[in-house]
Amino acid sequence: QELGNHIPVIYTSIGGSRVVGRLCIGNRHGLVVPSITTDQELQHLRNSLPDSVKLQRVEERLSALGNCVCANDHVALLHTDLSKETEEVIRDTLQVQTFRTSIADNALVGSYSVVTNQGCIVHPKTPIRDMDELSSLLQVPVVAGTINRGNAAIGSGLVANDWAVFCGLNTTATEITVIERILLKDRLQAQQGAAAAGLAGVRDALVDELA
């Protein structure tokens, strides 16, 4: 209900599990779900999603797709052991370029990173050179960070798009600042611009009044 005040929310399960974020991967173009998704769950998702969003079920041994894939609207980072068939489905459904990689020597790229169209936050022990390579692949800034008071598994406590970020209750103010600056960069710049315009208006009004 709290999320529903900010964004449209679809209540569902994947293979009977409520940990839906760890089992599927999507962006504004599409949603890919694992083979454990039941026909009833698949039909519910089809009925709930806009027609413009593709929905595809994929046969994949690594069924926790949310742990194995990290994607925005343009690029997807993949677990190195995902099948070629799954990679093709992800590429076609999400309309993205795909790259097989790891983050801080962890193959679970979805667990140790979160990416939007504005930026990416990764495992705190990711080497600078690796972050530069990821930034080149994703074409967005990449920074290292944590969630929920030092948890390196960024994906376990953070959900983000280009307009909002939802994080775990234990996330510190410092962690939130890093997250906002990298994942909501455009929104923060717009807010700062509006605040500056407001201050300029107040200043001009004071000048006119004193004159």
Side-chain angles (χ1 to χ4, degrees):
Q1 291 181 349
E2 291 181 19
L3 294 178
N5 294 328
H6 303 276
I7 56 175
V9 174
I10 299 171
Y11 293 92
T12 188
S13 60
I14 301 292
S17 172
R18 291 185 293 179
V19 192
V20 294
R22 299 298 86 206
L23 293 172
C24 62
I25 186 67
N27 60 13
R28 70 183 179 91
H29 301 296
L31 179 67
V32 180
V33 296
S35 57
I36 61 173
T37 308
T38 67
D39 292 340
Q40 184 178 6
E41 290 167 341
L42 197 67
Q43 189 59 51
H44 171 62
L45 288 171
R46 289 191 193 281
N47 294 338
S48 303
L49 291 170
D51 293 338
S52 60
V53 178
K54 295 181 181 178
L55 177 63
Q56 185 65 48
R57 182 166 52 187
V58 64
E59 292 284 342
E60 171 58 51
R61 178 178 60 85
L62 302 173
S63 60
L65 296 176
N67 288 335
C68 299
V69 183
C70 177
N72 60 16
D73 292 337
H74 309 289
V75 178
L77 304 179
L78 309 180
H79 188 296
T80 52
D81 292 337
L82 278 180
S83 68
K84 290 185 178 180
E85 292 77 10
T86 297
E87 181 176 7
E88 291 178 5
V89 169
I90 290 172
R91 187 186 300 127
D92 294 341
T93 305
L94 304 189
Q95 298 179 30
V96 293
Q97 290 182 289
T98 55
F99 299 98
R100 294 173 182 268
T101 187
S102 61
I103 293 177
D105 294 326
N106 292 289
L108 296 174
V109 292
S111 297
Y112 293 101
S113 66
V114 170
V115 64
T116 68
N117 296 323
Q118 299 177 37
C120 177
I121 184 166
V122 297
H123 190 291
K125 293 186 178 179
T126 306
I128 295 294
R129 188 173 71 175
D130 289 359
M131 286 195 287
D132 290 340
E133 291 178 0
L134 290 172
S135 181
S136 178
L137 294 176
L138 295 168
Q139 293 296 299
V140 296
V142 175
V143 300
T146 57
I147 197 75
N148 284 327
R149 203 177 296 274
N151 189 343
I154 299 290
S156 68
L158 183 63
V159 177
N161 61 20
D162 290 338
W163 298 275
V165 170
F166 299 94
C167 58
L169 290 175
N170 291 328
T171 305
T172 66
T174 301
E175 289 171 332
I176 289 174
T177 299
V178 172
I179 292 165
E180 286 184 333
R181 285 180 177 174
I182 193 67
L183 299 184
L184 296 178
K185 182 179 56 179
D186 292 349
R187 180 176 174 181
L188 285 179
Q189 289 175 348
Q191 290 175 343
Q192 291 169 354
L199 288 174
V202 170
R203 182 189 61 200
D204 293 343
L206 286 173
V207 169
D208 292 341
E209 186 175 333
L210 292 173

